[in-house]
Amino acid sequence: MNKQKVIQVVGYKNTGKTTLICRLIEKLQADGFTVGAIKHDAHEFELDMEGRDTWMYQKAGAESIAITSDKGHETCIIHKKYTPLNKLLTNMKDKDLIFVEGFKLEKYQKIVMIKSEEDIELLSSLENVIAAVTWIPVRCNDHPVFSIDDINSILSLIYSKK
């Protein structure tokens, strides 16, 4: 991969989006690529644990909280505001590939997760679909279709896309 690539993995709840992304990340990491991941959550989420210092900063009203560790080689920054996808991607410009879970209406290349017959409509209702990954047999003339377990073929498709 020459330039940064963004691949969206989209689908309805409990269709295996996170599972697929994790399996792809593991394989890409093993192949020497740097990978980022961004998740869109349609609901409120609580990242920090009650009673921890950063949790207390949030409850006190801080709008941005950061924690970093030399020993753990980790940094986390929490902003108490919505951040658009393009801004999140800018923060990961050093990665070879970024998986985006969700953000269905964004313009990036999409892999659509199909777990039931009701999910198939997403293939025609979304833009820039490059493949379907399925738990059930699906016939589709417009896009390649892969089984949820066919990680190598899914990666081959990702490598081939510009």
Side-chain angles (χ1 to χ4, degrees):
M1 281 183 254
N2 299 14
K3 66 175 195 137
Q4 183 185 68
K5 193 175 287 206
V6 176
I7 299 290
Q8 290 181 256
V9 178
V10 300
Y12 295 122
K13 186 174 180 166
N14 296 322
T15 54
K17 298 179 298 290
T18 301
T19 300
L20 176 65
I21 290 170
C22 288
R23 291 177 71 192
L24 293 169
I25 289 171
E26 288 170 357
K27 185 83 167 114
L28 285 159
Q29 287 286 131
D31 290 345
F33 294 100
T34 59
V35 184
I38 297 171
K39 178 179 175 65
H40 178 257
D41 193 326
H43 312 284
E44 280 189 44
F45 66 90
E46 182 96 13
L47 186 63
D48 211 353
M49 293 173 45
E50 185 173 345
R52 305 300 262 180
D53 293 348
T54 51
W55 180 86
M56 290 189 285
Y57 299 152
Q58 288 185 65
K59 294 306 171 203
E63 294 178 15
S64 292
I65 300 99
I67 185 169
T68 190
S69 169
D70 293 347
K71 189 173 184 176
H73 305 289
E74 297 175 311
T75 297
C76 179
I77 300 172
I78 301 168
H79 298 291
K80 299 295 277 183
K81 66 176 185 174
Y82 175 78
T83 304
L85 179 57
N86 64 340
K87 183 122 178 159
L88 295 170
L89 290 169
T90 300
N91 290 324
M92 294 189 189
K93 61 184 171 222
D94 62 328
K95 304 298 176 245
D96 296 319
L97 190 139
I98 300 171
F99 287 107
V100 175
E101 182 176 333
F103 292 95
K104 286 184 190 89
L105 301 180
E106 290 288 339
K107 63 182 181 197
Y108 300 98
Q109 296 177 332
K110 292 173 187 62
I111 295 173
V112 176
M113 302 298 296
I114 308 292
K115 195 167 188 176
S116 69
E117 294 288 327
E118 294 80 38
D119 301 339
I120 295 172
E121 62 85 16
L122 282 173
L123 292 172
S124 60
S125 67
L126 296 175
E127 292 182 33
N128 217 359
V129 173
I130 61 169
V133 172
T134 68
W135 297 80
I136 60 173
V138 172
R139 290 181 48 103
C140 178
N141 295 330
D142 297 329
H143 311 289
V145 177
F146 302 102
S147 160
I148 185 70
D149 294 316
D150 194 357
I151 299 302
N152 289 331
S153 295
I154 298 166
L155 278 174
S156 291
L157 175 77
I158 290 171
Y159 291 148
S160 74
K161 295 295 179 180
K162 292 183 179 174

